[in-house]
Amino acid sequence: MKILIAGYGYLGTALGKSLVSKGNEVWGVSRHEASGIQADLTKVETLVQLPQVDHAVLCQAPSKSDNYYDTYVAGSRNLIQALAGKLSGKLIF
């Protein structure tokens, strides 16, 4: 299975390792370069390079400079829009 994890921090990384150990292909999305895909959920233009996936998991958390709306409302909306036509299964929040 191909799975995208948006919010590849503490929780997302642990989930990703578990999914990989079970034979899944995993892409992590984070603002940090150390992740598989560097993008910012609050900036839709950074989400254009998302791959085709079976499922996606959204487990983002705000940075110190983010507010609740940008992180959870706008960020979720941007991810849903960016995954249109690229997601064949479920988006898990």
Side-chain angles (χ1 to χ4, degrees), residues 3-9 12 27-30 41 47 50 56-61 75 79 83 91-92:
I3 301 169
L4 180 107
I5 301 173
Y8 209 65
W27 287 268
V29 177
S30 173
L41 296 177
L47 299 170
L50 298 182
V57 179
L58 183 56
C59 55
Q60 83 276 37
L79 181 66
L83 287 173
L91 172 62
I92 300 164

Side-chain angles (χ1 to χ4, degrees), residues 12-75:
T13 301
L15 175 61
K17 288 178 181 179
S18 176
L19 290 168
V20 166
S21 75
K22 293 179 172 108
N24 296 288
E25 264 184 87
V26 174
W27 287 268
V29 177
S30 173
R31 293 181 215 194
H32 307 288
E33 290 182 43
S35 74
I37 300 172
Q38 185 176 5
D40 184 337
L41 296 177
T42 66
K43 298 176 180 156
V44 72
E45 66 276 7
T46 69
L47 299 170
V48 296
Q49 76 275 20
L50 298 182
Q52 293 278 136
V53 293
D54 298 310
H55 302 289
V57 179
L58 183 56
C59 55
Q60 83 276 37
S63 71
K64 292 178 184 176
S65 62
D66 291 334
N67 63 47
Y68 183 90
Y69 180 88
D70 289 342
T71 300
Y72 297 108
V73 178

